[in-house]
Amino acid sequence: MLDDTTLREVFHFRVSLLGAISVITISIIALIVLLSVLIVYTPIRNILPGYSASLRQQLIDESARVDSLQADLRLQRQYLDVIKALTAGDIQSDSVQSLDSMQRVEKVQIVSQPNEATEAFLSQYEQKERDRLMLFSSTAPRFVRQLYRPVRGVIVASPRPDHHVYGVTVHAAKNETVVATTRGTLVSVERLMDDTYAVTLQHGNMVTSYCHIGHVLKQQGTKVEAGESIGLMDGEHDLVVELWDAGQFVNPEEVIVW
């Protein structure tokens, strides 16, 4: 390039085939790197095939967390209402109880109130459901408390200890919730070959084993309460539940009201 006034050379550059190829190659590599960064670190990756399953599992986990947070927030609001009423002098300090205690007292008062209609209903219920009420009699091995039903569904296969089959097989609908039979700790959460999960819940000497859970909502080592959600069914596999008490097999059909 020349200066129009002095006709002196200002600068120059040389174009060659190798230089043009180098510039094009560097530009393509830079474009590939830029696209890779956008796909990996931005929500654009959710559009690509293969990422929808992980996104769905993340949505399920976040939904469970939101439900827990809403329950905690509701309890906090009730607690603050009691504190405000106590501060304003609307209630006496010696009459304040925890929310759980108040709920238990209300339930006891309702149940303990004599009522002819209630007594008639109980009498009729015991007459019709005598066999079901006997599930938790002294004939049940070592169980003195009712266990939660692990999942709502239809029993398709019963345990057969003589054939080394110790679990009850339950067919459940898609996204049906799998809950803890009792309070305890999830000592094992493993992924099976069919992309389902096996979960083991332990409470003292009692162990509940779940097989073929579609999606798990808790991690290994988590402490759960009785009836708390631990997973969801995928609708394609049947849930297999086993109960063991101090190393002895327990038939789930005999201790759980399905």
Side-chain angles (χ1 to χ4, degrees), residues 165-182:
V165 178
Y166 301 100
V168 58
T169 304
V170 184
H171 179 73
K174 185 177 182 181
N175 294 330
E176 191 67 45
T177 304
V178 181
V179 303
T181 57
T182 184

Side-chain angles (χ1 to χ4, degrees), residues 124-151:
Q124 183 180 5
Y125 180 83
E126 292 178 358
Q127 184 66 25
K128 292 183 178 180
E129 303 292 336
R130 180 173 299 175
D131 294 336
R132 179 172 295 181
L133 291 175
M134 290 299 293
L135 286 174
F136 299 98
S137 64
S138 59
T139 59
R142 302 183 61 180
F143 280 93
V144 295
R145 63 187 181 277
Q146 181 177 356
L147 299 179
Y148 274 78
R149 178 176 56 182
V151 69

Side-chain angles (χ1 to χ4, degrees), residues 102-114:
M102 294 172 63
Q103 292 176 358
R104 286 197 294 267
V105 170
E106 292 177 357
K107 292 180 180 179
V108 170
Q109 291 176 350
I110 293 175
V111 173
S112 61
Q113 292 177 355

Side-chain angles (χ1 to χ4, degrees), residues 25 36 51 67 91 113 118 139 189 204 207 228 246 257:
T25 303
S36 300
Y51 286 93
D67 292 340
I91 56 178
Q113 292 177 355
T118 302
T139 59
V189 177
V207 175
E228 185 174 350
V257 179

Side-chain angles (χ1 to χ4, degrees), residues 6-8 23 25 93 99 119 123 154 158 169 205 223 226 252:
T6 62
L7 298 180
R8 295 179 60 184
V23 171
T25 303
S93 59
L99 295 177
E119 294 178 356
S123 177
V154 179
S158 300
T169 304
N205 294 328
K223 296 183 181 298

Side-chain angles (χ1 to χ4, degrees), residues 3 11 17 32 43 77 94 117 120 131 142 150 158 182 210 212 242 244 253:
D3 190 348
F11 68 89
L17 180 60
I32 293 175
R77 287 177 178 174
D94 58 354
D131 294 336
R142 302 183 61 180
S158 300
T182 184
Y210 306 81
H212 305 299
E242 297 182 8
W244 300 86
E253 292 181 313

